[in-house]
Amino acid sequence: MDLIIHGPGEGSKVALAGDLYRVLADGTGTGGRLFVCHATIPPGGGPPPHIHHRENEAFYVLRGELTFYVVDENRAVKGQAGAFVHLPQGRPHRFANETSETAEALIWTTPSGFGDMLMAAGTPSEVALPPDPQEIDRLLQLAPSFGIEMLPPG
């Protein structure tokens, strides 16, 4: 494993599904054990419902508010700055920014496979980009090979 140090704003950046992710630690530097990113989620942003079949996923809300939907419990939990949410492997979920302000969160998964999917499906960018049909098709095609099951919106 490598020593990983990023200064403010450093790290690879990728836009996916309307959000921007800045990679802080990936599988290459952590021996596949950990992925960490800083997510910027604009109003209306957040991924569709999905299941990580290989990873645990956790969130720490840094700024703004995110709503976390635990699909199999039909439950919504609002997380404001300072909130922590852990979703164990296999839990259907999604998160959304349902406010008029941009939200930011740290997201980490163990092991690191989600980060590989993020980098393969996303578009290198310095800013969040609106999702486009080609990006969504790429995400839907790649996700299963990374153990991520995309669910119908709902």
Side-chain angles (χ1 to χ4, degrees):
M1 292 192 317
D2 298 331
L3 174 64
I4 301 170
I5 300 173
H6 289 297
E10 293 179 343
S12 301
K13 295 176 186 145
V14 62
L16 183 63
D19 303 330
L20 180 68
Y21 300 92
R22 180 169 61 101
V23 177
L24 302 173
D26 63 14
T28 302
T30 67
R33 293 183 181 102
L34 174 69
F35 172 77
V36 181
C37 69
H38 175 269
T40 302
I41 305 102
H50 60 281
I51 302 170
H52 294 264
H53 289 289
R54 298 178 187 161
E55 299 99 10
N56 296 297
E57 185 174 33
F59 301 82
Y60 183 80
V61 180
L62 297 167
R63 180 169 73 105
E65 178 181 284
L66 293 173
T67 303
F68 296 89
Y69 291 89
V70 184
V71 176
D72 60 338
E73 292 182 6
N74 197 28
R75 183 165 98 172
V77 176
K78 293 198 181 296
Q80 296 178 335
F84 174 81
V85 174
H86 174 259
L87 293 156
Q89 173 183 338
R91 295 303 296 267
H93 67 280
R94 70 181 180 93
F95 63 90
N97 180 351
E98 297 175 338
T99 74
S100 60
E101 303 293 326
T102 297
E104 295 179 28
L106 289 177
I107 302 173
W108 58 98
T109 63
T110 56
S112 66
F114 166 71
D116 297 333
M117 194 267 326
L118 185 71
M119 297 306 288
T123 302
S125 179
E126 292 292 316
V127 296
L129 302 171
D132 67 58
Q134 289 177 334
E135 176 190 72
I136 300 303
D137 285 345
R138 189 169 57 243
L139 174 62
L140 293 173
Q141 289 175 358
L142 288 172
S145 64
F146 290 95
I148 298 171
E149 179 182 352
M150 304 306 289
L151 303 171

